[in-house]
Amino acid sequence: MKKEIHPNYREVVFLDTSSDYKFITKSTIETGDTITWEDGKDYPLVKVEVSSASHPFYTGKKMLLDTAGRVEKFNRRYKKD
């Protein structure tokens, strides 16, 4: 492999700011923040707003959708006379 052309692939901590959930994984993302993990080592920190801990699809929380309004609008628009 050529030197100095590949991104720095290292362990990074991701923090879900909406649920205060943290997880560690490998990434090439650049960040200026750091955090001390449970093992006592310092890792780069990336703050995200949504993760599997807070996303409605993974948490099972329902999102309110106006499906009835959409169906009625569709029927009005494409109604055969």
Side-chain angles (χ1 to χ4, degrees):
M1 288 194 327
K2 292 184 180 180
K3 301 231 183 247
E4 299 181 13
I5 65 167
H6 299 284
N8 185 15
Y9 188 64
R10 68 211 187 284
E11 290 183 323
V12 177
V13 174
F14 285 85
L15 169 66
D16 182 347
T17 56
S18 62
S19 66
D20 202 33
Y21 175 70
K22 295 179 249 181
F23 60 95
I24 190 167
T25 187
K26 291 193 172 194
S27 177
T28 60
I29 194 166
E30 294 295 327
T31 181
D33 297 330
T34 60
I35 190 170
T36 303
W37 191 247
E38 298 160 356
D39 61 2
K41 295 181 185 177
D42 287 335
Y43 294 99
L45 174 68
V46 178
K47 296 176 183 173
V48 294
E49 294 178 8
V50 177
S51 73
S52 60
S54 62
H55 193 278
F57 179 79
Y58 297 104
T59 60
K61 295 179 183 174
K62 301 286 184 189
M63 291 176 49
L64 180 62
L65 295 176
D66 184 23
T67 55
R70 288 190 218 169
V71 171
E72 291 168 359
K73 184 177 178 181
F74 177 83
N75 287 336
R76 279 194 311 262
R77 180 178 289 171
Y78 297 106
K79 183 178 179 183
K80 292 184 180 183
D81 292 323

